[in-house]
Amino acid sequence: MRVESKFLNRILYIRPSGEIDEHNATSARKEVDTLAEQYVTLAQQVVFDLGEISFMDSTGIGFLIGRYKKFHRYGVPMYIANPSQATDKILTVSGVYTLIPKI
Amino acid sequence: MSNYMKLEIAAKSENEGFARSAVAAFALGLNPSISELSDIKTAVSEAVTNCVVHAYASERHGERKILIECQTEKKQTEGGFLHITITDYGCGIEDVDKAVLPFFTTLSADERSGMGFTIMQTFMSDFSLKSEKGKGTIVKMTKEIGVEKEEVRERADA
């Protein structure tokens, strides 16, 4: 799993690419949490760009909600951008957008 | 005309991608749409993940294997059905009714969403679950292929 990021106008953009399943969630978690620790006190909001995610199952839901909780603790709101049709379906079914709105 | 395949894999997370891709490749014979295919991949991924994370969580299981069987059933007209059976020989599920509830998980500390069975039920046309404590679990799922309206169908093989 590759994770790209940029910090612009106090917004932290995180763009993971590839597949999020049980097998690679651990490395994604590690990478994103390193970024989170670095920027959590500086960022006003976090945007997860899922445009490069080719597959995601419910492990991805746990992953996103886990990151949401981390940022939420610091009062930093989190958003989701560019989900594919398949990713959008799983996020809708599981109600993720009620916690992490889509922009 | 029907087709059949049987796949036995070690219950390792690195096999999840292989398992869902193999089932998806097998399903291509039914000419599914892209969204039907991605529903199948997601459901298979959920079932296989359950085997890896839950069924064989304890160390005492010697042979950690997952059996995946698929059967196609073609309709006389367009489309058909893909029947998938995923069997493990792991610890079994204590309370099946509870396990299928949305957000129910026995591993909440691990960032588990508890949505696996809900997603299998939602993404597939038919779903059933049989489990025996200490013996294992059998998940049966069917996806009806070709039910989407023709104009919105995007061929997966296009």
Side-chain angles (χ1 to χ4, degrees):
Chain A
M1 161 125 322
R2 222 184 43 185
V3 181
E4 285 176 11
S5 66
K6 67 176 176 192
F7 187 64
L8 200 69
N9 300 326
R10 302 196 68 188
I11 302 172
L12 176 61
Y13 296 88
I14 298 175
R15 189 162 72 162
S17 58
E19 305 190 317
I20 304 185
D21 64 6
E22 163 63 21
H23 185 55
N24 41 39
T26 316
S27 69
R29 218 170 264 146
K30 228 195 219 159
E31 281 214 38
V32 172
D33 285 351
T34 309
L35 279 171
E37 275 159 36
Q38 206 177 334
Y39 290 104
V40 78
T41 51
L42 306 167
Q44 254 167 4
Q45 49 177 282
V46 179
V47 176
F48 263 79
D49 183 341
L50 300 182
E52 296 295 318
I53 292 296
S54 53
F55 176 84
M56 194 179 104
D57 63 15
S58 69
T59 311
I61 297 166
F63 166 79
L64 288 169
I65 292 176
R67 306 293 73 69
Y68 162 80
K69 283 183 180 164
K70 280 216 156 127
F71 287 113
H72 188 71
R73 234 174 274 147
Y74 290 87
V76 182
M78 179 169 146
Y79 301 95
I80 286 171
N82 301 320
S84 70
Q85 218 178 341
T87 306
D88 193 55
K89 184 172 178 179
I90 195 166
L91 293 175
T92 305
V93 165
S94 51
V96 167
Y97 291 139
T98 56
L99 284 179
I100 316 167
K102 180 165 62 167
I103 53 167
Chain B
M1 277 278 281
S2 73
N3 197 1
Y4 171 79
M5 76 110 163
K6 180 171 152 180
L7 180 68
E8 195 174 47
I9 55 171
K12 293 179 175 195
S13 70
E14 65 197 80
N15 282 335
E16 289 171 10
F18 168 67
R20 61 179 176 261
S21 301
V23 173
F26 179 76
L28 283 178
L30 288 166
N31 207 8
S33 68
I34 287 178
S35 78
E36 286 164 344
L37 206 56
S38 85
D39 288 353
I40 292 166
K41 279 174 90 171
T42 309
V44 169
S45 197
E46 298 298 346
V48 172
T49 302
N50 277 350
C51 299
V52 175
V53 173
H54 298 283
Y56 296 112
S58 133
E59 288 299 321
R60 65 191 172 79
H61 296 282
E63 265 207 313
R64 299 151 173 266
K65 284 188 176 161
I66 305 169
L67 180 67
I68 301 169
E69 287 177 277
C70 295
Q71 178 101 43
T72 62
E73 185 191 324
K74 277 195 176 160
K75 289 185 197 165
Q76 286 198 318
T77 52
E78 181 96 338
F81 300 92
L82 175 70
H83 304 287
I84 306 171
T85 306
I86 299 181
T87 306
D88 70 67
Y89 313 97
C91 65
I93 298 168
E94 182 100 43
D95 186 338
V96 169
D97 295 332
K98 231 177 178 178
V100 299
L101 290 175
F103 304 111
F104 176 83
T105 177
T106 51
L107 293 171
S108 49
D110 283 1
E111 290 191 354
R112 303 278 164 208
S113 68
M115 290 300 285
F117 285 128
T118 305
I119 285 163
M120 290 181 233
Q121 284 169 323
T122 314
F123 283 34
M124 300 297 273
S125 322
D126 197 29
F127 167 88
S128 75
L129 172 64
K130 223 191 257 175
S131 191
E132 199 180 329
K133 252 207 129 226
K135 290 265 169 69
T137 300
I138 303 172
V139 170
K140 287 188 180 193
M141 305 185 278
T142 297
K143 183 72 176 174
E144 189 174 2
I145 306 290
V147 283
E148 287 172 34
K149 284 200 185 82
E150 201 55 45
E151 57 264 36
V152 299
R153 280 177 73 79
E154 242 182 298
R155 292 299 173 177
D157 56 2

